[in-house]
Amino acid sequence: MGINLAKGQRIDLTKTNPGLTKAIVGLGWDTNRYSGGHDFDLDASAFLTDANSRVTNDMDFVFYNNLTDPSGAVEHTGDNRTGEGDGDDEQIKIDFSKVPAHVHRIAITVTIHDAEVRNQNFGQVTNAFARVVDEDTGREILRFDLGEDFSVETAVVICELYRHNGDWKFNAVGSGFAGGLASLCRNFGLQV
């Protein structure tokens, strides 16, 4: 069992786990059952940013329509449109040895597809979590349970992995946004 983190906590990943080069960021959630008439489709994304938290190349935005960045360092394993079942609903794989020098942060986010049209928000999502697993051993290194702090938000920056003095660290962010994926894209410097 890995370390449980709270919002705002940071932890060394590569320094305290020597030999860690390939990690899986597993994301999971449940949805409250309500009579809205629409299924929930939550989507994980990764924004590969520079030191100013800006994406400098559109291809450094990894999501269901762009499953890997040009370097092959970050890979989305595919869209889960229902979130049914236990365990990870979506996964993003990171090979730290391939991350290009211009990438200082990898922000991991989750958005609700067509949230405004479907009248959905993260207040209707429960048991949301992110966990980091060593891909080579399958060992869970850490887990961040998001909690129930959201009401009208349709997008959440769950966590970020960032480079510091040659090592990679994990930051449990848990920051919500209104405006869905478009709002997140603008936040990270992408034109929508």
Side-chain angles (χ1 to χ4, degrees), residues 29-40 42 112 114-116 118-128 147-154:
W29 51 78
D30 293 318
T31 55
N32 296 335
R33 297 292 172 219
Y34 79 112
S35 58
H38 299 285
D39 290 334
F40 272 82
L42 275 64
I112 302 173
D114 284 341
E116 288 81 12
R118 296 176 180 185
N119 199 26
Q120 297 172 341
N121 60 58
F122 272 94
Q124 300 158 324
V125 175
T126 58
N127 304 320
E148 313 301 325
D149 294 337
F150 303 100
S151 56
V152 299
E153 292 85 351
T154 56

Side-chain angles (χ1 to χ4, degrees), residues 140-156:
E140 183 176 291
I141 296 169
L142 65 86
R143 181 181 181 98
F144 169 44
D145 290 308
L146 199 55
E148 313 301 325
D149 294 337
F150 303 100
S151 56
V152 299
E153 292 85 351
T154 56
V156 177

